[in-house]
Amino acid sequence: MPLFGHVRYYRPGDTFRNRLELAASGVHRPRRAGVCGTQDEGAESIVLADQYEDDFYSEAEIIYAGHGGRDAKTGRQVADQIATPRNLALLKSITTGRPVRVLRKVPAEDGTGEDVYRYEGLYQIIEHEYGPGKSGFQVYTFRLRPVAVGS
């Protein structure tokens, strides 16, 4: 069953050691996919893990590249993206207006040199574009803005 918004007691700034811990917490259930959701309900959560060259993160705004067309070894876009179920889930979130949990792979603060997944908070997908990305292939890009506290 889809769950939109915060999950249990987890809040922005909480970290998770790996994708298994993320899945077990319910904050982002898929162990590999960057999008959790369905084309009928929308996206529940996304992970920014430096996998797509067209992703951009700032505290004020996120540009999230859709799913597909990426070479797993190089990370470069090698084909056009298509309307996969994951991309359709992101598109559905524009019409539903439901919040999306955002997680981001970041260096751990304990000095171990390991990466962790940090919960950045709730965002709303406000628009999308489908056009040439950095490598020239057609890419879905989704613009997300933070949901105001108390919303």
Side-chain angles (χ1 to χ4, degrees):
M1 169 153 246
L3 178 61
F4 298 92
H6 294 299
V7 174
R8 295 189 294 275
Y9 50 81
Y10 298 109
R11 292 296 178 261
D14 289 346
T15 59
F16 304 85
R17 289 185 310 237
N18 52 46
R19 295 295 289 260
L20 290 174
E21 200 172 273
L22 266 180
S25 73
V27 174
H28 184 78
R29 293 188 314 272
R31 288 190 234 160
R32 293 185 55 98
V35 178
C36 178
T38 67
Q39 62 191 38
D40 294 327
E41 299 283 339
E44 300 171 50
S45 60
I46 61 171
V47 174
L48 289 149
D50 294 327
Q51 298 291 309
Y52 285 86
E53 62 192 29
D54 292 294
D55 285 346
F56 169 79
Y57 176 85
S58 77
E59 289 187 22
E61 177 175 87
I62 295 171
I63 304 298
Y64 186 77
H67 172 261
R70 183 182 69 85
D71 181 286
K73 291 181 183 175
T74 66
R76 291 185 53 84
Q77 202 69 28
V78 295
D80 291 342
Q81 291 184 346
I82 60 171
T84 64
R86 291 183 185 120
N87 290 332
L88 293 172
L90 293 162
L91 287 167
K92 182 69 172 185
S93 290
I94 296 170
T95 59
T96 68
R98 290 180 175 143
V100 177
R101 291 181 301 280
V102 172
L103 297 118
R104 189 164 66 113
K105 190 175 183 179
V106 298
E109 294 180 1
D110 61 8
T112 61
E114 307 247 341
D115 288 336
V116 296
Y117 293 89
R118 184 173 60 209
Y119 181 29
E120 299 295 338
L122 299 176
Y123 284 70
Q124 186 172 23
I125 302 176
I126 58 170
E127 64 183 10
H128 86 284
E129 291 182 16
Y130 184 69
K134 290 181 179 177
S135 292
F137 295 98
Q138 298 295 306
V139 174
Y140 285 96
T141 53
F142 298 89
R143 183 178 307 273
L144 292 88
R145 296 256 168 83
V147 172
V149 177
S151 295

